[in-house]
Amino acid sequence: GIQVEQSPPDLILQEGANSTLRCNFSDSVNNLQWFHQNPWGQLINLFYIPSGTKQNGRLSATTVATERYSLLYISSSQTTDSGVYFCAVEYGNKLVFGAGTILRVKS
Amino acid sequence: GAVVSQHPSWVICKSGTSVKIECRSLDFQATTMFWYRQFPKQSLMLMATSNEGSKATYEQGVEKDKFLINHASLTLSTLTVTSAHPEDSSFYICSARPGALNTEAFFGQGTRLTVV
């Protein structure tokens, strides 16, 4: 099956700092999504991005499908950005999740 | 975005009893829904694919008789954990897409199950 690897596994930022999260995948995929899981477990959709670049406020994402990776950029981080960030790729009919990046933003 | 609603948000049950979790697509129809399980500090693992009007497809290692899935309508799938044991305690999350393949997936709020 496909392997989805996220890095770094853990990240601590000072409020206001920028960060880049990475997602590598081992095979061609149909699409890719980024999620933020809040402390209550809810998965918040951030980006649906099979290829190219998208921006939404302080967040942006880039997927280079030919090189099998995606990046999530967080600028001017806030404490509310804390949580777990997952990338998930559609492989066949299924969404396969990476292990996640745990982000903690300190005030 | 599309809305997927899951109920209950949390449930505590006694060992040996069964628990039913509902997943509804509120503003779209979904011929396929997905059930995931997440243990503390781990990622989401797909348990099964729920197909409207037909049998669910289970992932390897998931017990069909223990995790009963019913997808009786285009907006409702249910997961029943039968004869629950403490090791079934986990966070269960459902997902659906408002379209066919290659469309964005949306997730319910999740159900935290504790078996005592």
Side-chain angles (χ1 to χ4, degrees), chain A residues 4 6 21 23 31-38 41-49 59-61 70-72 74 81-90 94-103, chain B residues 2 4 34 36 38 43-44 93-97 103-108:
Chain A
V4 182
Q6 290 187 243
L21 281 57
C23 175
N31 76 61
L32 184 145
Q33 291 186 242
W34 283 96
F35 299 92
H36 176 209
Q37 188 170 37
N38 67 21
Q42 173 78 58
L43 281 173
I44 310 297
N45 287 40
L46 297 178
F47 294 101
Y48 170 75
I49 185 165
L59 302 182
S60 64
S70 183
L71 302 174
L72 177 68
I74 304 175
D81 294 332
S82 297
V84 185
Y85 289 81
F86 288 106
C87 74
V89 300
E90 183 169 352
K94 305 172 185 178
L95 264 187
V96 179
F97 281 76
T101 293
I102 301 173
L103 174 65
Chain B
V4 176
F34 302 86
Y36 294 80
Q38 184 181 31
S43 186
L44 282 75
I93 316 175
C94 70
S95 164
R97 293 191 186 96
T103 58
E104 188 173 1
F106 294 86
F107 285 76

Side-chain angles (χ1 to χ4, degrees), chain A residues 13-65:
Chain A
L13 296 177
Q14 197 64 39
E15 198 169 26
N18 303 328
S19 65
T20 301
L21 281 57
R22 187 177 180 102
C23 175
N24 292 334
F25 41 99
S26 60
D27 201 350
S28 299
V29 298
N30 298 323
N31 76 61
L32 184 145
Q33 291 186 242
W34 283 96
F35 299 92
H36 176 209
Q37 188 170 37
N38 67 21
W40 298 272
Q42 173 78 58
L43 281 173
I44 310 297
N45 287 40
L46 297 178
F47 294 101
Y48 170 75
I49 185 165
S51 63
T53 297
K54 291 186 177 180
Q55 180 155 8
N56 184 1
R58 295 181 296 104
L59 302 182
S60 64
T62 295
T63 296
V64 184

